């Protein structure tokens, strides 16, 4: 089983989507038709609607043609001006999800179905516990570079996945972070201080365990790279790992068994959760 691909709202209030993502394209076309129909019923031109809600004619046209995802503010203002009774404003959730890259939507759906998530990260802080500043710094380092709009889009999508922490009943989370991920100053000193503080905050939750794998370990089961395991509500387990432009989901029992063995050994080799929080506090003091 495979999946390919990696944002706050852009300054113009609407954001472009991935043209190769047919699912998003279909959603945006539907939203565009609703906006256009309401506009015609109200007897407004694109320019008149744009003036009334504070957007340009081109921006309104792009939304109606399904070329851009409208922001929450765009939909709320359009609903109010055209007296749509919530028909347009009710599309906010669909528009928000359409802005996320398909890979993120697929992964978020799996994370939402998981009763337990186990993750080992060896190069950067895991996405589910990243701060907005840290995530923005990572996407800002991408080569070839993302535009500012693309960086925002990806950051919003990454942060949206973190809503999984608030699901009820609470899910169980286990993260093992390499020591180097705590010390590598991505984004600068203040970005890393906020990130370490975020780890300490998340690590206090009763359903979250964060462990640190010290660099001085002579025996290490995680040298093959980062990965995560998601144990789903119906009892199945799905794995996920990615490298460069390849993002892969796997579910074959033998593959899952291998990664479960690796993760068990990695946790045993790492510091305990209480030792790890003390270690993170120590690194924070040195940062």
């Amino acid at each position: 089983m495979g999946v390919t691909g990696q944002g706050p709202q852009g300054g113009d209030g609407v954001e472009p989507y991935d043209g190769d993502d047919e699912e998003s394209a279909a959603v945006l076309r539907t939203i565009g038709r609703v906006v256009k129909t309401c506009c015609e019923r109200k007897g407004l031109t694109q320019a008149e609607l744009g003036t009334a809600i504070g957007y340009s004619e081109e921006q309104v046209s792009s939304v109606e043609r399904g070329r851009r995802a409208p922001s929450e503010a765009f939909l709320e203002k359009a609903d109010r001006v055209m007296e749509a009774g919530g028909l347009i404003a009710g599309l906010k959730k669909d528009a928000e999800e359409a802005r996320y890259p398909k890979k993120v939507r697929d992964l978020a759906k799996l994370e939402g179905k998981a009763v337990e998530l186990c993750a080992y990260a060896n190069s950067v802080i895991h996405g589910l516990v990243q701060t907005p500043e840290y995530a923005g710094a990572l996407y800002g380092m991408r080569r070839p570079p993302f535009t500012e709009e693309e960086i925002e889009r990806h950051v919003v999508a990454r942060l949206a996945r973190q809503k999984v922490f608030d699901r009820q009943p609470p899910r169980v989370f286990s993260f093992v972070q390499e020591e180097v991920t705590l010390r590598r100053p991505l984004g600068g000193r203040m970005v890393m201080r906020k990130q370490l503080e975020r780890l300490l905050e998340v690590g206090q939750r009763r359903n979250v365990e964060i462990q640190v794998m010290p660099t001085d370990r002579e025996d290490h089961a995680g040298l093959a790279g980062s990965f995560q395991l998601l144990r789903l509500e119906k009892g199945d387990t799905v794995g996920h790992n990615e490298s460069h432009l390849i993002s892969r989901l796997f579910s074959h029992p033998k593959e899952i068994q291998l990664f479960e063995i690796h993760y068990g050994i990695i946790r045993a080799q790492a510091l305990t959760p209480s030792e790890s929080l003390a270690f993170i506090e120590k690194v924070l003091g040195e940062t």
Side-chain angles (χ1 to χ4, degrees):
M1 176 165 36
V3 56
T4 58
Q6 250 267 354
Q9 161 188 318
D12 65 357
V14 288
E15 299 184 12
Y17 75 96
D18 180 352
D20 295 327
D21 186 345
E22 285 302 317
E23 185 178 339
S24 280
V27 170
L28 295 183
R29 285 195 297 267
T30 298
I31 293 173
R33 283 195 295 269
V34 172
V35 172
K36 183 177 182 179
T37 298
C38 290
C39 202
E40 291 174 346
R41 287 178 178 174
K42 193 67 176 176
L44 295 175
T45 66
Q46 292 175 346
E48 290 170 337
L49 175 61
T51 299
I53 64 176
Y55 291 87
S56 69
E57 179 180 359
E58 189 278 329
Q59 289 169 333
V60 174
S61 175
S62 292
V63 170
E64 288 190 357
R65 288 181 289 129
R67 297 296 302 274
R68 284 179 176 265
S71 68
E72 182 175 311
F74 180 104
L75 294 174
E76 287 180 344
K77 291 177 181 179
D79 190 276
R80 186 165 56 251
V81 166
M82 294 190 284
E83 300 177 326
L87 178 62
I88 297 175
L91 297 170
K92 289 186 290 187
K93 185 174 184 296
D94 299 295
E96 178 185 12
E97 292 181 352
R99 284 197 292 269
Y100 303 159
K102 185 176 188 302
K103 184 197 79 168
V104 175
R105 295 199 308 273
D106 291 341
L107 187 55
K109 287 177 183 177
L110 282 174
E111 289 171 343
K113 295 177 182 177
V115 295
E116 181 182 10
L117 183 145
C118 304
Y120 165 63
N122 71 347
S123 59
V124 298
I125 302 297
H126 191 276
L128 287 181
V129 289
Q130 289 178 7
T131 63
E133 296 82 4
Y134 185 90
L138 287 181
Y139 284 119
M141 297 174 196
R142 196 254 200 185
R143 298 293 186 274
F146 282 133
T147 64
E148 290 301 315
E149 189 175 57
E150 289 172 326
I151 291 173
E152 286 188 302
R153 177 189 180 214
H154 286 299
V155 171
V156 160
R158 175 153 294 180
L159 298 182
R161 286 172 48 207
Q162 297 179 5
K163 294 177 182 177
V164 71
F165 284 115
D166 300 320
R167 290 180 63 87
Q168 295 296 327
R171 275 43 177 171
V172 176
F173 299 88
S174 167
F175 300 96
V176 179
Q177 291 285 157
E178 280 290 332
E179 177 184 341
V180 67
T181 67
L182 310 179
R183 298 187 180 279
R184 182 174 287 137
L186 302 181
R189 177 174 174 272
M190 292 311 298
V191 169
M192 281 308 302
R193 284 191 61 84
K194 285 187 177 181
Q195 181 58 69
L196 294 172
E197 289 169 353
R198 170 65 174 164
L199 288 177
L200 290 172
E201 174 193 340
V202 174
Q204 297 297 328
R205 297 188 180 214
R206 290 187 295 120
N207 62 325
V208 178
E209 290 188 340
I210 294 178
Q211 294 179 252
V212 174
M213 175 69 84
T215 303
D216 64 6
R217 289 293 190 256
E218 295 182 1
D219 191 9
H220 195 322
L223 298 181
S226 301
F227 65 91
Q228 63 181 15
L229 294 167
L230 302 101
R231 297 191 172 95
L232 308 182
E233 293 171 339
K234 295 184 178 181
D236 297 331
T237 298
V238 176
H240 172 255
N241 66 356
E242 61 181 285
S243 175
H244 298 286
L245 299 179
I246 300 173
S247 179
R248 178 173 176 260
L249 294 171
F250 50 91
S251 58
H252 191 283
K254 288 187 176 180
E255 291 180 308
I256 296 298
Q257 183 183 57
L258 180 63
F259 277 95
E260 286 181 330
I261 291 172
H262 283 176
Y263 193 73
I265 298 174
I266 288 170
R267 290 198 68 185
Q269 294 171 336
L271 299 175
T272 67
S274 59
E275 291 171 340
S276 296
L277 292 182
F279 189 91
I280 294 171
E281 287 183 345
K282 175 176 176 292
V283 175
L284 176 60
E286 299 169 353
T287 302

